[in-house]
Short mmCIF file of all heavy atoms in Angstrom, two decimals:
data_model
loop_
_atom_site.label_atom_id
_atom_site.label_comp_id
_atom_site.label_asym_id
_atom_site.label_seq_id
_atom_site.Cartn_x
_atom_site.Cartn_y
_atom_site.Cartn_z
N MET A 932 49.43 -26.67 -30.31
CA MET A 932 47.99 -26.76 -30.39
C MET A 932 47.38 -25.52 -29.75
O MET A 932 47.65 -25.22 -28.60
CB MET A 932 47.53 -28.00 -29.63
CG MET A 932 46.68 -28.89 -30.43
SD MET A 932 46.03 -30.39 -29.61
CE MET A 932 47.20 -30.88 -28.42
N ASP A 933 46.56 -24.83 -30.45
CA ASP A 933 45.88 -23.67 -29.90
C ASP A 933 44.60 -24.10 -29.20
O ASP A 933 44.08 -25.17 -29.44
CB ASP A 933 45.52 -22.68 -31.01
CG ASP A 933 46.77 -22.10 -31.66
OD1 ASP A 933 47.81 -22.03 -30.98
OD2 ASP A 933 46.69 -21.74 -32.84
N ASP A 934 44.07 -23.22 -28.37
CA ASP A 934 42.81 -23.50 -27.69
C ASP A 934 41.62 -22.99 -28.50
O ASP A 934 40.59 -22.65 -27.95
CB ASP A 934 42.79 -22.87 -26.30
CG ASP A 934 43.46 -23.76 -25.29
OD1 ASP A 934 43.14 -24.95 -25.27
OD2 ASP A 934 44.31 -23.26 -24.53
N VAL A 935 41.75 -22.93 -29.80
CA VAL A 935 40.68 -22.46 -30.66
C VAL A 935 39.75 -23.62 -30.98
O VAL A 935 40.21 -24.70 -31.34
CB VAL A 935 41.27 -21.88 -31.98
CG1 VAL A 935 40.17 -21.46 -32.91
CG2 VAL A 935 42.20 -20.74 -31.67
N ASP A 936 38.46 -23.41 -30.80
CA ASP A 936 37.50 -24.46 -31.14
C ASP A 936 37.53 -24.69 -32.64
O ASP A 936 37.61 -23.76 -33.43
CB ASP A 936 36.09 -24.08 -30.71
CG ASP A 936 35.96 -24.05 -29.20
OD1 ASP A 936 36.89 -24.49 -28.50
OD2 ASP A 936 34.93 -23.57 -28.74
N MET A 937 37.51 -25.96 -33.05
CA MET A 937 37.65 -26.30 -34.46
C MET A 937 36.52 -27.20 -34.91
O MET A 937 35.93 -27.91 -34.13
CB MET A 937 38.98 -27.03 -34.67
CG MET A 937 40.19 -26.22 -34.29
SD MET A 937 41.72 -27.17 -34.39
CE MET A 937 41.79 -27.52 -36.12
N ALA A 938 36.31 -27.17 -36.20
CA ALA A 938 35.38 -28.11 -36.81
C ALA A 938 36.05 -29.48 -36.84
O ALA A 938 37.26 -29.60 -36.70
CB ALA A 938 35.04 -27.66 -38.22
N TRP A 939 35.27 -30.53 -37.03
CA TRP A 939 35.82 -31.88 -37.16
C TRP A 939 36.70 -31.94 -38.39
O TRP A 939 36.36 -31.43 -39.44
CB TRP A 939 34.70 -32.91 -37.26
CG TRP A 939 33.98 -33.10 -35.96
CD1 TRP A 939 32.77 -32.59 -35.63
CD2 TRP A 939 34.43 -33.83 -34.83
NE1 TRP A 939 32.44 -32.96 -34.34
CE2 TRP A 939 33.44 -33.73 -33.84
CE3 TRP A 939 35.58 -34.58 -34.55
CZ2 TRP A 939 33.57 -34.34 -32.59
CZ3 TRP A 939 35.69 -35.19 -33.31
CH2 TRP A 939 34.70 -35.06 -32.35
N ARG A 940 37.85 -32.59 -38.25
CA ARG A 940 38.81 -32.74 -39.35
C ARG A 940 39.21 -34.20 -39.45
O ARG A 940 39.09 -34.96 -38.49
CB ARG A 940 40.06 -31.91 -39.08
CG ARG A 940 39.76 -30.44 -39.01
CD ARG A 940 41.02 -29.68 -38.63
NE ARG A 940 40.73 -28.28 -38.50
CZ ARG A 940 41.03 -27.37 -39.40
NH1 ARG A 940 41.63 -27.71 -40.51
NH2 ARG A 940 40.72 -26.11 -39.21
N SER A 941 39.73 -34.57 -40.61
CA SER A 941 40.28 -35.91 -40.79
C SER A 941 41.49 -35.81 -41.70
O SER A 941 41.71 -34.80 -42.36
CB SER A 941 39.24 -36.86 -41.37
OG SER A 941 38.82 -36.43 -42.64
N SER A 942 42.25 -36.87 -41.74
CA SER A 942 43.46 -36.90 -42.55
C SER A 942 43.11 -36.80 -44.03
O SER A 942 42.08 -37.30 -44.49
CB SER A 942 44.21 -38.21 -42.31
OG SER A 942 45.22 -38.38 -43.27
N SER A 943 43.99 -36.17 -44.79
CA SER A 943 43.79 -36.11 -46.23
C SER A 943 43.96 -37.49 -46.85
O SER A 943 43.56 -37.72 -47.99
CB SER A 943 44.77 -35.12 -46.87
OG SER A 943 46.10 -35.50 -46.59
N PHE A 944 44.52 -38.43 -46.10
CA PHE A 944 44.68 -39.81 -46.57
C PHE A 944 43.43 -40.64 -46.32
O PHE A 944 43.30 -41.74 -46.84
CB PHE A 944 45.87 -40.49 -45.89
CG PHE A 944 47.18 -39.86 -46.25
CD1 PHE A 944 47.81 -39.01 -45.36
CD2 PHE A 944 47.77 -40.10 -47.48
CE1 PHE A 944 49.03 -38.42 -45.68
CE2 PHE A 944 48.98 -39.52 -47.81
CZ PHE A 944 49.61 -38.68 -46.91
N ALA A 945 42.52 -40.14 -45.48
CA ALA A 945 41.30 -40.88 -45.14
C ALA A 945 40.34 -40.88 -46.32
O ALA A 945 40.24 -39.91 -47.05
CB ALA A 945 40.63 -40.23 -43.93
N THR A 946 39.65 -42.00 -46.47
CA THR A 946 38.68 -42.11 -47.55
C THR A 946 37.35 -42.63 -47.03
O THR A 946 37.31 -43.45 -46.13
CB THR A 946 39.19 -43.07 -48.65
OG1 THR A 946 39.43 -44.36 -48.07
CG2 THR A 946 40.47 -42.55 -49.28
N GLY A 947 36.28 -42.15 -47.61
CA GLY A 947 34.95 -42.64 -47.28
C GLY A 947 34.62 -42.57 -45.81
O GLY A 947 35.03 -41.65 -45.09
N ASN A 948 33.87 -43.55 -45.34
CA ASN A 948 33.44 -43.58 -43.94
C ASN A 948 34.46 -44.22 -43.02
O ASN A 948 34.27 -44.26 -41.82
CB ASN A 948 32.11 -44.32 -43.82
CG ASN A 948 30.97 -43.51 -44.38
OD1 ASN A 948 31.01 -42.29 -44.40
ND2 ASN A 948 29.94 -44.19 -44.88
N ASP A 949 35.54 -44.76 -43.56
CA ASP A 949 36.54 -45.44 -42.75
C ASP A 949 37.66 -44.47 -42.38
O ASP A 949 38.75 -44.51 -42.93
CB ASP A 949 37.10 -46.64 -43.50
CG ASP A 949 37.94 -47.53 -42.61
OD1 ASP A 949 37.75 -47.47 -41.38
OD2 ASP A 949 38.78 -48.26 -43.13
N ARG A 950 37.37 -43.56 -41.43
CA ARG A 950 38.33 -42.54 -41.06
C ARG A 950 38.11 -42.12 -39.61
O ARG A 950 37.03 -42.28 -39.05
CB ARG A 950 38.20 -41.32 -41.95
CG ARG A 950 36.88 -40.57 -41.77
CD ARG A 950 36.69 -39.44 -42.77
NE ARG A 950 35.49 -38.70 -42.50
CZ ARG A 950 34.27 -39.10 -42.81
NH1 ARG A 950 34.08 -40.26 -43.41
NH2 ARG A 950 33.22 -38.36 -42.52
N VAL A 951 39.14 -41.60 -39.02
CA VAL A 951 39.05 -41.01 -37.69
C VAL A 951 38.97 -39.51 -37.87
O VAL A 951 39.73 -38.92 -38.64
CB VAL A 951 40.28 -41.38 -36.83
CG1 VAL A 951 40.25 -40.64 -35.50
CG2 VAL A 951 40.34 -42.88 -36.60
N GLU A 952 38.05 -38.89 -37.17
CA GLU A 952 37.93 -37.43 -37.19
C GLU A 952 38.37 -36.90 -35.84
O GLU A 952 38.25 -37.58 -34.82
CB GLU A 952 36.49 -37.02 -37.46
CG GLU A 952 35.99 -37.44 -38.82
CD GLU A 952 34.54 -37.06 -39.07
OE1 GLU A 952 33.74 -37.01 -38.11
OE2 GLU A 952 34.22 -36.81 -40.22
N TRP A 953 38.88 -35.68 -35.81
CA TRP A 953 39.35 -35.08 -34.58
C TRP A 953 39.06 -33.59 -34.57
O TRP A 953 38.85 -32.99 -35.61
CB TRP A 953 40.85 -35.31 -34.40
CG TRP A 953 41.68 -34.65 -35.46
CD1 TRP A 953 41.99 -35.16 -36.68
CD2 TRP A 953 42.25 -33.35 -35.41
NE1 TRP A 953 42.73 -34.26 -37.39
CE2 TRP A 953 42.92 -33.14 -36.63
CE3 TRP A 953 42.27 -32.34 -34.46
CZ2 TRP A 953 43.59 -31.95 -36.91
CZ3 TRP A 953 42.95 -31.17 -34.74
CH2 TRP A 953 43.61 -30.99 -35.95
N ARG A 954 39.04 -33.03 -33.37
CA ARG A 954 38.95 -31.58 -33.22
C ARG A 954 39.49 -31.22 -31.84
O ARG A 954 39.57 -32.05 -30.94
CB ARG A 954 37.53 -31.07 -33.39
CG ARG A 954 36.59 -31.42 -32.27
CD ARG A 954 35.22 -30.82 -32.50
NE ARG A 954 34.30 -31.24 -31.46
CZ ARG A 954 33.02 -30.93 -31.46
NH1 ARG A 954 32.51 -30.22 -32.46
NH2 ARG A 954 32.25 -31.32 -30.49
N ILE A 955 39.86 -29.98 -31.72
CA ILE A 955 40.27 -29.44 -30.43
C ILE A 955 39.10 -28.64 -29.90
O ILE A 955 38.57 -27.77 -30.58
CB ILE A 955 41.51 -28.54 -30.58
CG1 ILE A 955 42.67 -29.34 -31.16
CG2 ILE A 955 41.88 -27.91 -29.24
CD1 ILE A 955 43.84 -28.48 -31.58
N GLU A 956 38.69 -28.97 -28.71
CA GLU A 956 37.52 -28.34 -28.11
C GLU A 956 37.84 -28.03 -26.65
O GLU A 956 38.08 -28.95 -25.87
CB GLU A 956 36.31 -29.27 -28.21
CG GLU A 956 35.01 -28.70 -27.70
CD GLU A 956 34.45 -27.59 -28.57
OE1 GLU A 956 34.59 -27.65 -29.79
OE2 GLU A 956 33.86 -26.66 -28.00
N ALA A 957 37.88 -26.77 -26.30
CA ALA A 957 38.08 -26.34 -24.90
C ALA A 957 39.34 -26.96 -24.29
O ALA A 957 39.31 -27.45 -23.17
CB ALA A 957 36.84 -26.64 -24.08
N GLY A 958 40.44 -27.00 -25.06
CA GLY A 958 41.70 -27.48 -24.52
C GLY A 958 41.86 -28.98 -24.47
O GLY A 958 42.82 -29.48 -23.90
N ARG A 959 40.97 -29.71 -25.05
CA ARG A 959 41.09 -31.17 -25.09
C ARG A 959 40.97 -31.63 -26.54
O ARG A 959 40.49 -30.89 -27.40
CB ARG A 959 40.03 -31.82 -24.21
CG ARG A 959 38.63 -31.53 -24.66
CD ARG A 959 37.59 -32.10 -23.70
NE ARG A 959 36.27 -31.89 -24.23
CZ ARG A 959 35.44 -30.95 -23.82
NH1 ARG A 959 35.79 -30.14 -22.85
NH2 ARG A 959 34.25 -30.83 -24.36
N VAL A 960 41.37 -32.85 -26.80
CA VAL A 960 41.27 -33.41 -28.14
C VAL A 960 40.13 -34.42 -28.15
O VAL A 960 40.05 -35.29 -27.27
CB VAL A 960 42.59 -34.11 -28.55
CG1 VAL A 960 42.46 -34.75 -29.92
CG2 VAL A 960 43.74 -33.12 -28.52
N GLU A 961 39.24 -34.28 -29.11
CA GLU A 961 38.11 -35.19 -29.25
C GLU A 961 38.30 -36.00 -30.53
O GLU A 961 38.64 -35.45 -31.57
CB GLU A 961 36.80 -34.42 -29.31
CG GLU A 961 36.53 -33.63 -28.04
CD GLU A 961 35.22 -32.86 -28.09
OE1 GLU A 961 34.59 -32.77 -29.16
OE2 GLU A 961 34.84 -32.33 -27.04
N LEU A 962 38.09 -37.32 -30.42
CA LEU A 962 38.22 -38.23 -31.56
C LEU A 962 36.91 -38.98 -31.75
O LEU A 962 36.23 -39.32 -30.78
CB LEU A 962 39.33 -39.25 -31.29
CG LEU A 962 40.71 -38.70 -30.98
CD1 LEU A 962 41.59 -39.81 -30.43
CD2 LEU A 962 41.32 -38.10 -32.23
N ARG A 963 36.59 -39.28 -33.01
CA ARG A 963 35.41 -40.09 -33.30
C ARG A 963 35.62 -40.83 -34.62
O ARG A 963 36.47 -40.46 -35.42
CB ARG A 963 34.14 -39.25 -33.35
CG ARG A 963 34.08 -38.32 -34.55
CD ARG A 963 32.81 -37.50 -34.53
NE ARG A 963 32.72 -36.69 -35.75
CZ ARG A 963 31.80 -35.78 -35.97
NH1 ARG A 963 30.90 -35.53 -35.02
NH2 ARG A 963 31.77 -35.10 -37.09
N HIS A 964 34.83 -41.86 -34.83
CA HIS A 964 34.85 -42.60 -36.09
C HIS A 964 33.99 -41.82 -37.08
O HIS A 964 32.81 -41.59 -36.82
CB HIS A 964 34.29 -44.00 -35.88
CG HIS A 964 34.42 -44.88 -37.09
ND1 HIS A 964 33.68 -44.69 -38.22
CD2 HIS A 964 35.23 -45.94 -37.32
CE1 HIS A 964 34.01 -45.61 -39.12
NE2 HIS A 964 34.95 -46.38 -38.59
N GLY A 965 34.58 -41.39 -38.18
CA GLY A 965 33.87 -40.56 -39.14
C GLY A 965 32.64 -41.20 -39.74
O GLY A 965 31.67 -40.53 -40.03
N GLY A 966 32.66 -42.52 -39.90
CA GLY A 966 31.51 -43.20 -40.48
C GLY A 966 30.42 -43.52 -39.49
O GLY A 966 29.32 -43.89 -39.85
N HIS A 967 30.74 -43.38 -38.20
CA HIS A 967 29.78 -43.69 -37.13
C HIS A 967 29.85 -42.63 -36.04
O HIS A 967 29.99 -42.94 -34.86
CB HIS A 967 30.06 -45.08 -36.55
CG HIS A 967 30.00 -46.17 -37.55
ND1 HIS A 967 28.82 -46.68 -38.03
CD2 HIS A 967 30.98 -46.83 -38.21
CE1 HIS A 967 29.07 -47.61 -38.93
NE2 HIS A 967 30.38 -47.72 -39.05
N ALA A 968 29.78 -41.38 -36.43
CA ALA A 968 29.94 -40.27 -35.50
C ALA A 968 28.91 -40.29 -34.38
O ALA A 968 29.16 -39.77 -33.29
CB ALA A 968 29.87 -38.94 -36.26
N ASP A 969 27.79 -40.91 -34.62
CA ASP A 969 26.73 -40.97 -33.61
C ASP A 969 27.03 -41.98 -32.50
O ASP A 969 26.31 -42.06 -31.52
CB ASP A 969 25.39 -41.31 -34.26
CG ASP A 969 25.41 -42.64 -34.99
OD1 ASP A 969 26.49 -43.06 -35.47
OD2 ASP A 969 24.34 -43.27 -35.10
N GLN A 970 28.11 -42.74 -32.62
CA GLN A 970 28.41 -43.79 -31.64
C GLN A 970 29.36 -43.35 -30.54
O GLN A 970 29.86 -44.16 -29.78
CB GLN A 970 28.94 -45.03 -32.35
CG GLN A 970 27.89 -45.68 -33.20
CD GLN A 970 28.37 -46.97 -33.82
OE1 GLN A 970 29.49 -47.40 -33.63
NE2 GLN A 970 27.48 -47.60 -34.57
N GLY A 971 29.62 -42.07 -30.44
CA GLY A 971 30.40 -41.58 -29.31
C GLY A 971 31.70 -40.92 -29.70
O GLY A 971 32.16 -41.00 -30.84
N THR A 972 32.29 -40.28 -28.73
CA THR A 972 33.52 -39.52 -28.91
C THR A 972 34.49 -39.87 -27.79
O THR A 972 34.09 -39.96 -26.63
CB THR A 972 33.20 -38.01 -28.86
OG1 THR A 972 32.26 -37.70 -29.88
CG2 THR A 972 34.44 -37.17 -29.06
N LEU A 973 35.73 -40.06 -28.14
CA LEU A 973 36.79 -40.27 -27.17
C LEU A 973 37.40 -38.90 -26.87
O LEU A 973 37.79 -38.18 -27.79
CB LEU A 973 37.86 -41.20 -27.74
CG LEU A 973 39.09 -41.45 -26.89
CD1 LEU A 973 38.71 -42.16 -25.59
CD2 LEU A 973 40.11 -42.26 -27.67
N VAL A 974 37.47 -38.54 -25.59
CA VAL A 974 37.99 -37.23 -25.19
C VAL A 974 39.30 -37.44 -24.44
O VAL A 974 39.35 -38.20 -23.48
CB VAL A 974 36.98 -36.47 -24.30
CG1 VAL A 974 37.54 -35.14 -23.88
CG2 VAL A 974 35.65 -36.30 -25.04
N LEU A 975 40.35 -36.77 -24.92
CA LEU A 975 41.67 -36.88 -24.31
C LEU A 975 42.17 -35.51 -23.86
O LEU A 975 41.95 -34.51 -24.55
CB LEU A 975 42.68 -37.44 -25.32
CG LEU A 975 42.36 -38.80 -25.92
CD1 LEU A 975 43.33 -39.12 -27.04
CD2 LEU A 975 42.40 -39.88 -24.85
N SER A 976 42.84 -35.48 -22.73
CA SER A 976 43.50 -34.25 -22.32
C SER A 976 44.70 -34.02 -23.23
O SER A 976 45.11 -34.91 -23.97
CB SER A 976 43.97 -34.37 -20.86
OG SER A 976 45.05 -35.29 -20.78
N ARG A 977 45.28 -32.84 -23.15
CA ARG A 977 46.48 -32.57 -23.95
C ARG A 977 47.59 -33.56 -23.61
O ARG A 977 48.28 -34.05 -24.48
CB ARG A 977 46.97 -31.16 -23.70
CG ARG A 977 46.15 -30.11 -24.38
CD ARG A 977 46.70 -28.74 -23.99
NE ARG A 977 45.94 -27.72 -24.68
CZ ARG A 977 46.48 -26.84 -25.50
NH1 ARG A 977 47.77 -26.86 -25.73
NH2 ARG A 977 45.74 -25.93 -26.08
N ALA A 978 47.77 -33.84 -22.32
CA ALA A 978 48.83 -34.76 -21.89
C ALA A 978 48.58 -36.16 -22.44
O ALA A 978 49.52 -36.83 -22.89
CB ALA A 978 48.93 -34.78 -20.37
N GLU A 979 47.33 -36.62 -22.38
CA GLU A 979 47.01 -37.95 -22.92
C GLU A 979 47.24 -38.00 -24.42
O GLU A 979 47.76 -38.99 -24.95
CB GLU A 979 45.56 -38.30 -22.60
CG GLU A 979 45.30 -38.54 -21.13
CD GLU A 979 43.84 -38.59 -20.77
OE1 GLU A 979 43.02 -37.91 -21.43
OE2 GLU A 979 43.51 -39.32 -19.81
N TRP A 980 46.86 -36.96 -25.14
CA TRP A 980 47.05 -36.90 -26.58
C TRP A 980 48.55 -36.92 -26.92
O TRP A 980 48.97 -37.67 -27.81
CB TRP A 980 46.38 -35.66 -27.15
CG TRP A 980 46.53 -35.49 -28.63
CD1 TRP A 980 47.18 -34.48 -29.27
CD2 TRP A 980 46.03 -36.34 -29.66
NE1 TRP A 980 47.11 -34.66 -30.63
CE2 TRP A 980 46.41 -35.79 -30.90
CE3 TRP A 980 45.30 -37.53 -29.65
CZ2 TRP A 980 46.09 -36.39 -32.11
CZ3 TRP A 980 44.97 -38.12 -30.87
CH2 TRP A 980 45.36 -37.55 -32.08
N GLN A 981 49.34 -36.14 -26.22
CA GLN A 981 50.78 -36.11 -26.46
C GLN A 981 51.41 -37.47 -26.18
O GLN A 981 52.29 -37.92 -26.92
CB GLN A 981 51.44 -35.01 -25.63
CG GLN A 981 51.05 -33.61 -26.04
CD GLN A 981 51.41 -33.28 -27.48
OE1 GLN A 981 52.42 -33.71 -28.00
NE2 GLN A 981 50.56 -32.51 -28.14
N ALA A 982 50.96 -38.15 -25.11
CA ALA A 982 51.48 -39.48 -24.80
C ALA A 982 51.10 -40.48 -25.89
O ALA A 982 51.92 -41.31 -26.29
CB ALA A 982 50.93 -39.95 -23.45
N PHE A 983 49.88 -40.39 -26.39
CA PHE A 983 49.45 -41.28 -27.47
C PHE A 983 50.30 -41.05 -28.73
O PHE A 983 50.78 -41.99 -29.36
CB PHE A 983 47.97 -41.07 -27.80
CG PHE A 983 47.56 -41.80 -29.04
CD1 PHE A 983 47.35 -43.16 -29.02
CD2 PHE A 983 47.41 -41.12 -30.24
CE1 PHE A 983 47.00 -43.85 -30.18
CE2 PHE A 983 47.07 -41.79 -31.40
CZ PHE A 983 46.86 -43.16 -31.37
N LEU A 984 50.49 -39.79 -29.12
CA LEU A 984 51.28 -39.49 -30.30
C LEU A 984 52.72 -39.98 -30.16
O LEU A 984 53.28 -40.56 -31.09
CB LEU A 984 51.27 -37.98 -30.59
CG LEU A 984 49.94 -37.40 -31.05
CD1 LEU A 984 50.08 -35.89 -31.24
CD2 LEU A 984 49.45 -38.05 -32.32
N ALA A 985 53.31 -39.77 -29.00
CA ALA A 985 54.68 -40.23 -28.77
C ALA A 985 54.76 -41.75 -28.86
O ALA A 985 55.68 -42.30 -29.48
CB ALA A 985 55.17 -39.76 -27.40
N ALA A 986 53.77 -42.45 -28.29
CA ALA A 986 53.76 -43.91 -28.35
C ALA A 986 53.55 -44.40 -29.78
O ALA A 986 54.20 -45.35 -30.22
CB ALA A 986 52.66 -44.46 -27.43
N ALA A 987 52.66 -43.75 -30.50
CA ALA A 987 52.40 -44.16 -31.89
C ALA A 987 53.64 -43.96 -32.75
O ALA A 987 54.00 -44.83 -33.56
CB ALA A 987 51.23 -43.37 -32.45
N LYS A 988 54.33 -42.85 -32.57
CA LYS A 988 55.54 -42.56 -33.35
C LYS A 988 56.66 -43.55 -33.05
O LYS A 988 57.46 -43.87 -33.91
CB LYS A 988 56.00 -41.13 -33.10
CG LYS A 988 55.10 -40.10 -33.72
CD LYS A 988 55.56 -38.69 -33.37
CE LYS A 988 54.59 -37.67 -33.92
NZ LYS A 988 54.98 -36.30 -33.53
N SER A 989 56.70 -44.04 -31.82
CA SER A 989 57.76 -44.98 -31.45
C SER A 989 57.35 -46.45 -31.65
O SER A 989 58.12 -47.34 -31.37
CB SER A 989 58.14 -44.78 -29.98
OG SER A 989 57.09 -45.22 -29.12
N GLY A 990 56.11 -46.67 -32.13
CA GLY A 990 55.64 -48.03 -32.37
C GLY A 990 55.13 -48.73 -31.12
O GLY A 990 54.94 -49.94 -31.11
N GLN A 991 54.89 -47.98 -30.06
CA GLN A 991 54.46 -48.56 -28.79
C GLN A 991 53.00 -48.28 -28.43
O GLN A 991 52.60 -48.44 -27.30
CB GLN A 991 55.35 -48.03 -27.66
CG GLN A 991 56.81 -48.37 -27.84
CD GLN A 991 57.05 -49.87 -27.83
OE1 GLN A 991 56.53 -50.58 -26.98
NE2 GLN A 991 57.81 -50.35 -28.80
N ALA A 992 52.18 -47.86 -29.39
CA ALA A 992 50.81 -47.46 -29.10
C ALA A 992 50.00 -48.58 -28.46
O ALA A 992 49.12 -48.33 -27.65
CB ALA A 992 50.10 -46.97 -30.35
N GLY A 993 50.31 -49.83 -28.77
CA GLY A 993 49.59 -50.95 -28.17
C GLY A 993 49.88 -51.14 -26.71
O GLY A 993 49.18 -51.85 -26.01
N ALA A 994 50.93 -50.49 -26.21
CA ALA A 994 51.34 -50.67 -24.81
C ALA A 994 50.76 -49.62 -23.89
O ALA A 994 51.03 -49.65 -22.69
CB ALA A 994 52.87 -50.63 -24.73
N ILE A 995 49.96 -48.70 -24.39
CA ILE A 995 49.39 -47.65 -23.55
C ILE A 995 48.29 -48.23 -22.68
O ILE A 995 47.40 -48.93 -23.16
CB ILE A 995 48.82 -46.49 -24.41
CG1 ILE A 995 49.94 -45.83 -25.21
CG2 ILE A 995 48.10 -45.47 -23.54
CD1 ILE A 995 49.46 -44.79 -26.16
N ALA A 996 48.33 -47.96 -21.40
CA ALA A 996 47.29 -48.41 -20.47
C ALA A 996 46.21 -47.35 -20.40
O ALA A 996 46.50 -46.18 -20.18
CB ALA A 996 47.89 -48.64 -19.09
N TYR A 997 44.96 -47.75 -20.57
CA TYR A 997 43.85 -46.81 -20.53
C TYR A 997 43.03 -47.04 -19.30
O TYR A 997 42.81 -48.10 -18.87
CB TYR A 997 42.97 -46.97 -21.77
CG TYR A 997 43.68 -46.56 -23.02
CD1 TYR A 997 44.29 -47.49 -23.84
CD2 TYR A 997 43.76 -45.22 -23.37
CE1 TYR A 997 44.95 -47.11 -24.99
CE2 TYR A 997 44.42 -44.83 -24.52
CZ TYR A 997 45.01 -45.79 -25.32
OH TYR A 997 45.65 -45.39 -26.45
#
């Protein structure tokens, strides 16, 4: 992951307003609901993002403590 500021992106599998959008901003990962972008943004550090991805890949995403 580079520290380059990016525009909001979403998966090519996402359709309509039912999608998660993400961007890298100042070394952190920002997530939002594409259909309700005005309702807030979840901001994760690089370490938190990497932990989430590892948990999701292993099927343990529901076990992450926030």
Side-chain angles (χ1 to χ4, degrees):
M932 234 182 329
D933 295 333
D934 276 312
V935 177
D936 292 350
M937 300 174 64
W939 288 102
R940 298 175 183 258
S941 62
S942 169
S943 59
F944 295 103
T946 58
N948 288 332
D949 191 22
R950 67 186 184 282
V951 173
E952 296 179 329
W953 64 274
R954 71 177 176 185
I955 300 169
E956 183 70 35
R959 62 184 185 258
V960 178
E961 298 180 350
L962 303 167
R963 69 181 185 187
H964 187 290
H967 302 283
D969 60 331
Q970 293 185 0
T972 301
L973 176 64
V974 179
L975 302 172
S976 69
R977 284 177 178 239
E979 291 168 329
W980 179 243
Q981 293 300 324
F983 171 77
L984 291 178
K988 289 177 184 177
S989 70
Q991 300 298 314
I995 297 174
Y997 294 98

